[in-house]
Amino acid sequence: MKVADPIQRARTLLHMRRPADAERELRGLLAQQPEHVLGHALLGLALIQQARADEAVQEAYEAVRLGPDQWFPHYAAAQVHYRAHRAGDAMAAVRAALDLQPQHAPNWELLARVHMLRGEWARMAEAALRGLSIEPEYGDLVALLSLACTNLGDTGQATAAAAHAVLIDPESTLAHFVQGRAALRAGDARRAADSFREVLRLDPGFGVARDLLVTALKQRNPVYRRLSALRGRFPNGWRLIFLLPAVPPVILVFFLLALLHWVAWVAEAWTTARLARGRTTRLLFEGAEARVSAACLGLVAVGAVLLGLGIGLGLEPVGTAGVGLMALVTPVQEAAHTGSPRVRKILYGWAGLLAAAVAVSVATATPVVAVLTVYACLLSVWIASRLRGRPPQAV
């Protein structure tokens, strides 16, 4: 009983999301019994929940070494590798757990999650269905099946599975999250927003749900929705550059695509600024996001004033500088909406250089510099897409 007590307490503490307390229990146990298999396995889980991946992996390996014929050490190791985003190691570990215990539905859930981490949606759906054949009312497996179907484009099956997941467990954040994802994919922005609000009610720290709620709220704006749809049709417009020597008129198409992106970014800034001021939505936006949107709207306003002055007073450098200021919306928004901190810094640096070029064009009264800056600003959407590379297959 003395051996079982710290294990039971550690399991309870992990379930209560108190990994530091669970770690203390387990370290006390392992000080007395250094080769306790469950102790090392659970310690690995406690450490990974504290984002101490290297220590967690060591404990997971130790648990597998001590109990290679037990399924739980492999399962715990797979959890550790999965949370550390080590998809290959997680796959090997969960396969080993399934070889030892194929009738345990949580093993299939973990396999589905590993496939999700690798962006293997069809295999994710297959793993979820295998688990549901063992335990048909397993809510998380139903939710994962919905998510896989959403990414496979089967919105009907995704919607039905998500509704079933919510019915099984109305308090599940995952169930409401996948319901929102399915609704967003089906074009039902209102229902998606309701689902993501419910996720945030249950778990205010669910950052992805917050971002998707903002997306759903913006999609309810018909102007923003249409511009986003049009912009999304030309994600690789940069390739038109190679046609310019052979077909010079294509430059007009290229310019129109870049202009369309600029209009969409202005709509993005306007929608975000409006939501940031709304009574029920202002808490969804971080200060930086609201400030970027306000700055972009300020660039448009100041640029329009300078353009009007340039035209009215016949000051060509001032007018072209105004256009350059308005065009800065594209590089600023591209930087703000980049997930990678390194790429974001590069794009903000690029935007800063372009802003300096606009200032130089006014100081030296050389409108040609401002014109070139406008072109560079509009081209920033494709520069950013090259820097980001292929978008990750993330949930």
Side-chain angles (χ1 to χ4, degrees):
M1 188 66 180
K2 291 183 179 179
V3 175
D5 282 345
I7 291 294
Q8 185 59 42
R9 286 197 297 269
R11 287 183 185 275
T12 302
L13 290 167
L14 287 173
H15 182 71
M16 295 171 63
R17 298 183 180 180
R18 294 169 56 184
D21 293 332
E23 179 188 355
R24 281 193 291 272
E25 290 285 343
L26 294 165
R27 291 211 183 270
L29 169 65
L30 292 173
Q32 298 179 6
Q33 301 185 47
E35 296 190 350
H36 196 288
V37 177
L38 286 181
H40 285 286
L42 291 174
L43 181 56
L45 295 177
L47 291 168
I48 197 63
Q49 288 185 26
Q50 298 176 71
R52 293 156 62 182
D54 291 339
E55 296 176 70
V57 168
Q58 290 179 3
E59 293 297 331
Y61 282 144
E62 183 65 10
V64 171
R65 185 187 71 81
L66 293 171
D69 298 328
Q70 302 177 34
W71 71 269
F72 186 78
H74 295 283
Y75 173 82
Q79 285 277 13
V80 167
H81 292 307
Y82 165 71
R83 295 185 183 211
H85 300 283
R86 300 172 55 160
D89 292 332
M91 180 63 71
V94 74
R95 289 290 186 190
L98 280 166
D99 288 341
L100 294 167
Q101 183 55 279
Q103 297 303 309
H104 188 58
N107 283 339
W108 291 104
E109 178 200 351
L110 185 51
L111 178 61
R113 290 181 179 275
V114 175
H115 284 305
M116 176 182 66
L117 189 63
R118 296 166 65 138
E120 298 170 347
W121 310 119
R123 293 181 179 179
M124 176 184 174
E126 181 183 352
L129 288 171
R130 288 289 300 275
L132 289 170
S133 69
I134 299 168
E135 192 173 333
E137 296 299 301
Y138 196 133
D140 282 359
L141 276 171
V142 177
L144 291 172
L145 175 62
S146 171
L147 194 56
C149 291
T150 296
N151 284 285
L152 289 169
D154 188 351
T155 54
Q157 179 68 20
T159 301
H164 188 203
V166 171
L167 185 63
I168 293 172
D169 186 359
E171 297 299 309
S172 168
T173 55
L174 178 61
H176 289 286
F177 176 77
V178 299
Q179 189 173 53
R181 284 293 305 270
L184 199 59
R185 184 64 178 265
D188 191 345
R190 185 177 298 277
R191 179 173 295 180
D194 290 341
S195 296
F196 294 131
R197 282 196 184 99
E198 183 64 15
V199 173
L200 292 171
R201 183 189 70 81
L202 295 167
D203 183 2
F206 203 134
V208 177
R210 175 195 168 279
D211 293 339
L212 289 174
L213 174 56
V214 172
T215 299
L217 291 171
K218 290 176 181 177
Q219 288 295 332
R220 292 173 60 178
N221 182 326
V223 175
Y224 177 86
R225 186 168 59 247
R226 288 169 186 151
L227 286 172
S228 296
L230 286 172
R231 188 180 62 179
R233 294 180 184 178
F234 306 101
N236 294 313
W238 65 275
R239 293 174 182 169
L240 292 174
I241 294 174
F242 299 108
L243 296 177
L244 295 181
V247 190
V250 82
I251 193 172
L252 179 60
V253 178
F254 195 85
F255 178 78
L256 289 175
L257 293 180
L259 185 61
L260 178 62
H261 280 82
W262 178 84
V263 172
W265 279 130
V266 173
E268 164 88 14
W270 173 260
T271 303
T272 300
R274 181 176 60 82
L275 292 173
R277 293 173 61 86
R279 180 177 301 177
T280 60
T281 55
R282 67 179 62 179
L283 295 179
L284 296 171
F285 295 88
E286 298 176 355
E289 190 173 11
R291 287 195 297 271
V292 167
S293 297
C296 288
L297 293 177
L299 287 172
V300 174
V302 174
V305 170
L306 291 178
L307 177 60
L309 288 175
I311 294 173
L313 300 177
L315 300 174
E316 185 178 358
V318 174
T320 51
V323 177
L325 279 179
M326 289 190 286
L328 280 171
V329 169
T330 293
V332 170
Q333 287 279 47
E334 288 291 342
H337 288 78
T338 297
S340 168
R342 182 182 64 84
V343 176
R344 190 185 309 121
K345 288 180 181 179
I346 293 173
L347 291 175
Y348 270 130
W350 170 246
L353 287 175
L354 294 175
V358 172
V360 168
S361 72
V362 176
T364 60
T366 51
V368 66
V369 174
V371 172
L372 292 175
T373 302
V374 170
Y375 292 148
C377 287
L378 295 179
L379 287 173
S380 296
V381 66
W382 291 296
I383 294 173
S385 68
R386 292 302 94 200
L387 287 174
R388 293 188 188 108
R390 183 182 177 183
Q393 298 285 353
V395 177

